[in-house]
Every structure is written in structure tokens, then in C-alpha cells.
């Protein structure tokens, strides 16, 4: 891991720590929405070390692959291994999967649990893929149009470019946050972001749905 990426992770962890603390001055619980993938590892680990009243912090995912939590593809596994450690294990984590066989069958139960969290979120941390996707809002998702338009909180998505079915918060629900962060690293993603900023077709690059709201971009080489 480059020093720049480690420093970026520490800076982001400090900013999220401050945001959660500020909100906890005024509310009983504070909600943090994190993304999966590989970029968040050092951020999640740095955040776990922050002196928060973790029993009042709620954590959920922007999206999830519909796989068992023991699978290496599980975003919940990532959160449990990197964030819910030490004092941070006292946080309330709301995973986005259920015992249902498919995300389509699971959406009603997961939605009921997700809606019970302390919305608007204090912070939503977004990642981005090389195709301009964020969460599981993929350009080639069969349900992208629905996920961009619905006011429902969660959508089951099937995506030709992805091996697993997924469940994702809708764009509308991901906008229900006080602060938005895009956490990306590397020159390739910097170029993808530049392309996203140069156009406005959200269905071509779904990250564009979040470029008009205030967005803190955390990028390191
Ligand atoms: O479930 C997921 O895969 C993530 O939510 C996804 O949106 C991720 O943020 C991007 O694909 C970037 O992933 P990397 O950080 O691994 O590049």
C-alpha cells in the first residue's frame, strides 16, 4: 500500500470520525453507509481505531453481492473483518442480505430493516469502477433505470458484467445523506472520473448521479 493511499485512508477516517461525532451531538444514533470492493480496506481499518461511541453508530453497505457472508465476495465480510473490530465491534451493522435465495425475494425484508436505520445518513462513502459504476448502479444493469428513478430504498440488480446478482440502495436513497464521499485511488480511476465529469449521461456512467450534489473526492495516486 503506498504511503499516499495510507495517508488518504487516515484523512478520510478522521473526516468520517468528525462527521459522526458532530451528528451524535444532536441525535441518538448516526448512520454510516460504506461501499465494498478493495479500496476501502485501509479506510475501514483506520476508522475502527477512532474513539467513537460505537454503540450509537449504525453501519450499512451501499450495495451487496447476493452471496453467503463467508464468501470472499461478500462486502459484509469486508466490514466485519476490517471495521467491526475492537471497540468498533459494538456498532450496529445492518447487512443487505437475508436467507432468501435471490435478491428479488430478499428486497422486502432487507428494506424493512434498512429503513429502520437513522436516515438521513451522516456519510455515504461511494466507490467507483472503471465503467463509472458506483454501489451496484452499473451501466449494463438490467434494472439501472429503475434504480436511478425509484423512491424505493433497495433494488435487486442483475448485471451481465458481474458474476453475482446484487442488491443496491437506489440513487434516491443514497442521496439521503448529509455528506457524500467518493473514495478512489490510482491514475486509471482518476481518468474515469475525468470522463464522468466531462459528460452528463447518467446511464452511461452512473457515478454522474452524484457529481451534482456536494461530493468530497478522496483520491491518491
Ligand atoms: O460491491 C461493490 O463492488 C462496490 O460497492 C463497488 O461499487 C465498488 O465500490 C467499486 O466496484 C470499486 O471497487 P474497488 O474499490 O475494488 O475498485
Amino acid at each position: 500500500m503506498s504511503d499516499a493511499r495510507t495517508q488518504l485512508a487516515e484523512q478520510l477516517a478522521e473526516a468520517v470520525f468528525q462527521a459522526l461525532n458532530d451528528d451524535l451531538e444532536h441525535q441518538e444514533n448516526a448512520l454510516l453507509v460504506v461501499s465494498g470492493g478493495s479500496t476501502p480496506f485501509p479506510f475501514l481499518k483506520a476508522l475502527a481505531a477512532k474513539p467513537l461511541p460505537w454503540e450509537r453508530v449504525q453501519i450499512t453497505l451501499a450495495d451487496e453481492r447476493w452471496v453467503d457472508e463467508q464468501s470472499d465476495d461478500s462486502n459484509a465480510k469486508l466490514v466485519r473483518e476490517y471495521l467491526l473490530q475492537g471497540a468498533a465491534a459494538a456498532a450496529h451493522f445492518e447487512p443487505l442480505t437475508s436467507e432468501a435465495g435471490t435478491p428479488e425475494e430478499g428486497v422486502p425484508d432487507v428494506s424493512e430493516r434498512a429503513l429502520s436505520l437513522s436516515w438521513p445518513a451522516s456519510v455515504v462513502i461511494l466507490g467507483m469502477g472503471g465503467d463509472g459504476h458506483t454501489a451496484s448502479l452499473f451501466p449494463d444493469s438490467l434494472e439501472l433505470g429503475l434504480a436511478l428513478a425509484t423512491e424505493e430504498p433497495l433494488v435487486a440488480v442483475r448485471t451481465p458484467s458481474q458474476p453475482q446478482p446484487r442488491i443496491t440502495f437506489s440513487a434516491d436513497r443514497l442521496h439521503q445523506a448529509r455528506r457524500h464521499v467518493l473514495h478512489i485511488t490510482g491514475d486509471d480511476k482518476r481518468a474515469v472520473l475525468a470522463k464522468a465529469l466531462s459528460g452528463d449521461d447518467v446511464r452511461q456512467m452512473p457515478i454522474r448521479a452524484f457529481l451534482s450534489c456536494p461530493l468530497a473526492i478522496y483520491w491518491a495516486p
Side-chain angles (χ1 to χ4, degrees):
M1 173 77 54
S2 70
D3 287 348
R5 294 187 184 186
T6 302
Q7 189 177 357
L8 182 74
E10 284 287 350
Q11 289 168 339
L12 178 54
E14 180 63 23
V16 170
F17 163 61
Q18 293 296 342
L20 291 168
N21 250 351
D22 289 351
D23 289 355
L24 287 168
E25 291 285 319
H26 314 291
Q27 57 196 65
E28 180 54 30
N29 297 303
L31 173 60
L32 169 64
V33 182
V34 297
S35 283
S38 56
T39 304
F41 295 171
F43 155 65
L44 297 175
K45 192 172 177 183
L47 181 61
K50 296 297 183 185
L52 281 162
W54 284 103
E55 70 285 355
R56 295 173 56 204
V57 176
Q58 300 171 341
I59 296 162
T60 194
L61 285 155
D63 65 324
E64 180 62 283
R65 300 82 180 276
W66 202 262
V67 296
D68 186 276
E69 280 201 17
Q70 304 311 314
S71 164
D72 287 341
D73 291 329
S74 165
N75 288 334
K77 185 170 189 277
L78 172 78
V79 171
R80 294 190 194 279
E81 287 181 358
Y82 287 89
L83 179 52
L84 302 181
Q85 297 294 326
H92 171 83
F93 174 52
E94 196 59 63
L96 296 187
T97 51
S98 70
E99 293 304 312
T102 68
E104 289 83 1
E105 293 166 338
V107 160
D109 166 53
V110 179
S111 294
E112 185 176 346
R113 291 189 275 117
L115 287 174
S116 71
L117 298 171
S118 297
W119 300 95
S122 292
V123 192
V124 165
I125 310 284
L126 296 173
M128 184 184 68
D131 57 1
H133 82 261
T134 192
S136 283
L137 307 173
F138 288 89
D140 61 328
S141 284
L142 308 181
E143 300 80 8
L144 177 63
L146 173 64
L148 290 174
T150 186
E151 291 183 1
E152 291 299 314
L154 285 157
V155 178
V157 294
R158 306 278 172 159
T159 310
S161 63
Q162 301 302 312
Q164 312 99 353
R166 290 163 170 245
I167 186 169
T168 186
F169 277 114
S170 60
D172 174 77
R173 181 54 52 163
L174 289 170
H175 275 108
Q176 296 183 36
R178 293 191 182 86
R179 308 163 188 86
H180 290 85
V181 168
L182 176 61
H183 182 200
I184 53 174
T185 57
D187 290 334
D188 289 351
K189 294 215 178 155
R190 181 178 173 178
V192 173
L193 178 59
K195 181 182 177 187
L197 288 164
S198 69
D200 54 18
D201 181 345
V202 173
R203 297 197 65 157
Q204 180 191 46
M205 298 185 82
I207 188 62
R208 287 172 172 160
F210 299 91
L211 298 183
S212 51
C213 69
L215 181 71
I217 296 173
Y218 280 73
W219 174 85

